[in-house]
């Protein structure tokens, strides 16, 4: 089976990792996930390359999400790979906004949460890059899930 390579730019432009996957690859991903059933949600977690992915599906059908963050270890899924060709996850907030990378991403707004020092870049596609501060790379990419995924 041929490996599907998805770049972070495409994930952000599409508004999420799952939105970037064809249906057959979603099914493949599901088979690689650890599944944890909680009182109000089901959590799907997987490692793809250098990324940890968490997908939360509310049992009520609201507040579904996916999170991508850099993993401590590298593990390859045989048929899905996430690439970061532009180094988004290695670029701090200030450098990202002044780089050419930002030209390849959707329109956005910036939200400063002063009491905890967090900065968010909220893309109109539905993706959010979250920074602990302006001098560090992002800690994660968050996406709201609004469609049925599995």
């Amino acid at each position: 089976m041929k490996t599907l390579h998805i770049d972070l730019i495409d994930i952000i432009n599409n508004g999420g990792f799952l939105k970037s996957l064809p249906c057959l690859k979603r099914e493949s991903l599901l088979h690689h996930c650890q599944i944890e059933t909680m009182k109000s949600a089901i959590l799907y977690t997987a490692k793809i390359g250098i990324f940890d992915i968490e997908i939360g599906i509310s049992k009520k059908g609201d507040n579904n999400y996916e999170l991508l963050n850099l993993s401590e270890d590298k593990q390859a899924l045989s048929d899905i790979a996430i690439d970061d060709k532009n180094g988004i996850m290695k670029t701090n907030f200030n450098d990202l906004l002044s780089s050419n990378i930002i030209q390849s991403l959707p329109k956005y707004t910036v939200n400063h949460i002063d009491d905890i020092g967090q900065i968010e870049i909220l893309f109109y596609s539905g993706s959010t890059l979250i920074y602990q501060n302006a001098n560090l790379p992002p800690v994660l990419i968050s996406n709201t899930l609004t469609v049925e995924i599995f």
Side-chain angles (χ1 to χ4, degrees), residues 18 20 22 27 63 69 74 91 96 102 107 128 131 141:
L18 291 173
S20 301
E27 291 175 17
N63 298 322
N69 64 308
K74 184 176 182 177
T91 306
L96 182 70
I102 201 72
K107 291 184 179 187
T128 302
Y131 296 82
I141 300 172

Side-chain angles (χ1 to χ4, degrees), residues 60-76:
K60 293 181 181 180
D62 57 351
N63 298 322
N64 299 334
Y65 67 90
E66 66 180 26
L67 302 174
L68 285 86
N69 64 308
L70 290 175
S71 179
E72 295 288 320
D73 55 347
K74 184 176 182 177
Q75 181 174 344

Side-chain angles (χ1 to χ4, degrees), residues 30-76:
L30 181 61
H31 293 291
H32 292 284
C33 286
Q34 290 184 315
I35 301 170
E36 185 177 346
T37 303
M38 305 176 94
K39 184 176 181 180
S40 61
I42 300 172
L43 293 180
Y44 298 85
T45 56
K47 290 186 180 298
I48 300 178
I50 61 170
F51 292 94
D52 289 328
I53 297 178
E54 177 179 302
I55 301 164
I57 306 299
S58 167
K59 290 183 178 178
K60 293 181 181 180
D62 57 351
N63 298 322
N64 299 334
Y65 67 90
E66 66 180 26
L67 302 174
L68 285 86
N69 64 308
L70 290 175
S71 179
E72 295 288 320
D73 55 347
K74 184 176 182 177
Q75 181 174 344

Side-chain angles (χ1 to χ4, degrees), residues 117-144:
Q118 182 171 299
I119 303 169
E120 301 173 340
I121 301 177
L122 301 117
F123 295 98
Y124 291 4
S125 64
S127 293
T128 302
L129 276 174
I130 300 174
Y131 296 82
Q132 289 179 333
N133 73 49
N135 298 317
L136 296 173
V139 290
L140 61 92
I141 300 172
S142 172
N143 300 293
T144 302

Side-chain angles (χ1 to χ4, degrees), residues 1-5 17 21 24-25 27-29 31-33 46-49 74-82:
M1 184 175 273
K2 187 176 178 182
T3 300
L4 172 67
H5 288 267
F17 172 67
L21 287 178
L24 290 176
K25 295 292 184 181
E27 291 175 17
S28 173
L29 173 68
H31 293 291
H32 292 284
C33 286
K47 290 186 180 298
I48 300 178
K74 184 176 182 177
Q75 181 174 344
L77 237 63
S78 60
D79 59 346
I80 303 171
I82 300 173

Side-chain angles (χ1 to χ4, degrees), residues 89-149:
M89 295 303 284
K90 295 177 183 175
T91 306
N92 71 41
F93 174 77
N94 293 324
D95 290 345
L96 182 70
L97 291 185
S98 64
S99 74
N100 290 333
I101 300 169
I102 201 72
Q103 305 302 320
S104 302
L105 296 169
K107 291 184 179 187
Y108 62 90
T109 58
V110 175
N111 183 23
H112 293 270
I113 304 172
D114 293 326
D115 56 334
I116 60 173
Q118 182 171 299
I119 303 169
E120 301 173 340
I121 301 177
L122 301 117
F123 295 98
Y124 291 4
S125 64
S127 293
T128 302
L129 276 174
I130 300 174
Y131 296 82
Q132 289 179 333
N133 73 49
N135 298 317
L136 296 173
V139 290
L140 61 92
I141 300 172
S142 172
N143 300 293
T144 302
L145 301 176
T146 56
V147 296
E148 181 142 340
I149 55 159

